[in-house]
């Protein structure tokens, strides 16, 4: 998909694919009924990488890079993830707000020239329940099936939403209401919510 066509898209579907030693995500343009249409990105993260680094390709052939994101430090805590285009030039960044995220995951998405967007889990009770689930013995291989929604706002205005559908499979709907938000940055952040969350 051409960059201008990608930038015009407002809705995407992000699906996680099962793989050995890697996390893989297929990003598709959403059809009017909410189902997945044309593939616009394919992300892959090596699970044993010393730093969180993800390459996002334009499709599953992995022939052309759409963007990459990488932590600025080996430690996840307080890391800033810089998103770069196919030429390696930075297009924005995101980071998790560590203290706020202890109870309710909160991210800050930053694109030069735009005000920062703050993304927070919509349902505080589900956020706490998810944290309790993570500490229960035997749940390592049983995914948390309930919905998980993030709203990205600026001064109370909703500019982006990432909503996890109910089920054992990780599948998200992404809706972007801000036309000047770089879709590559938005896709990277949506993937990161699952890959790094």
């Amino acid at each position: 998909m051409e960059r201008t066509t990608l930038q015009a898209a407002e809705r995407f579907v992000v699906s996680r694919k099962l793989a050995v030693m890697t996390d893989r995500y297929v990003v598709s343009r959403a059809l009017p009924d909410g189902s997945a249409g044309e593939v616009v990105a394919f992300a892959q993260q090596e699970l044993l990488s010393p730093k969180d680094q993800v390459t996002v390709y334009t499709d599953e052939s992995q022939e052309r890079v759409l963007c990459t994101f990488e932590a600025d430090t080996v430690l996840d805590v307080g890391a800033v993830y810089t998103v770069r285009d196919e030429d390696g030039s930075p297009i924005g960044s995101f980071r998790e707000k560590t203290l706020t995220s202890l109870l309710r995951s909160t991210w800050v998405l930053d694109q030069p020239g735009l005000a920062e967007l703050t993304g927070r889990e919509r349902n505080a009770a589900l956020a706490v329940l998810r944290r309790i689930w993570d500490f229960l013995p035997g749940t390592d291989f049983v995914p948390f099936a309930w919905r998980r929604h993030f709203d990205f706002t600026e001064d109370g205005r909703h500019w982006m939403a990432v909503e996890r559908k109910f089920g054992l499979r990780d599948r998200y709907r992404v809706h972007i209401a801000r036309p000047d938000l770089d879709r590559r940055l938005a896709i990277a952040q949506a993937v990161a919510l699952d890959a790094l969350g």
Side-chain angles (χ1 to χ4, degrees), residues 2-191:
E2 292 297 319
R3 171 113 162 58
T4 52
T5 308
L6 178 67
Q7 189 61 33
E10 295 180 347
R11 296 178 186 272
F12 300 94
V13 176
V14 180
S15 303
R16 183 178 176 192
K17 294 180 74 173
L18 296 175
V20 179
M21 303 306 291
T22 61
D23 278 337
R24 295 180 177 177
Y25 298 87
V26 176
V27 183
S28 307
R29 192 170 185 172
L31 297 175
D33 66 357
S35 63
E38 177 188 6
V39 172
V40 298
F42 174 77
Q44 182 167 293
Q45 176 191 30
E46 301 298 328
L47 296 180
L48 297 179
S49 174
K51 274 200 329 192
D52 284 322
Q53 181 177 357
V54 177
T55 301
V56 183
Y57 301 93
T58 56
D59 57 38
E60 292 182 77
S61 71
Q62 302 179 48
E63 292 177 0
R64 200 171 128 221
V65 173
L66 179 68
C67 64
T68 62
F69 63 88
E70 182 178 11
D72 64 349
T73 178
V74 175
L75 298 175
D76 286 343
V77 178
V80 174
Y81 297 84
T82 301
V83 182
R84 299 179 185 279
D85 66 14
E86 64 275 19
D87 298 320
S89 300
I91 56 175
S93 65
F94 54 83
R95 61 184 166 82
E96 188 171 19
K97 294 179 81 172
T98 308
L99 291 178
T100 309
S101 293
L102 290 175
L103 290 178
R104 193 170 172 189
S105 289
T106 304
W107 292 77
V108 176
L109 182 63
D110 183 32
Q111 178 178 323
L114 300 181
E116 285 185 342
L117 300 183
T118 300
R120 177 173 295 157
E121 282 185 272
R122 185 181 301 165
N123 189 319
L126 267 182
V128 171
L129 179 62
R130 189 170 56 81
R131 275 149 185 76
I132 293 170
W133 178 269
D134 288 341
F135 283 106
L136 292 176
T139 59
D140 291 346
F141 301 104
V142 182
F144 187 78
W146 287 272
R147 294 178 178 173
R148 185 179 183 206
H149 303 321
F150 284 85
D151 293 310
F152 285 80
T153 63
E154 176 237 327
D155 290 334
R157 297 189 66 179
H158 285 69
W159 290 117
M160 183 170 95
V162 180
E163 303 179 331
R164 184 185 190 278
K165 295 179 70 176
F166 181 82
L168 295 178
R169 218 175 123 208
D170 290 330
R171 187 176 167 96
Y172 299 83
R173 289 184 185 147
V174 181
H175 177 232
I176 303 167
R178 187 166 191 155
D180 50 356
L181 178 62
D182 194 310
R183 298 315 190 244
R184 298 168 297 177
L185 182 59
I187 287 170
Q189 174 70 86
V191 167

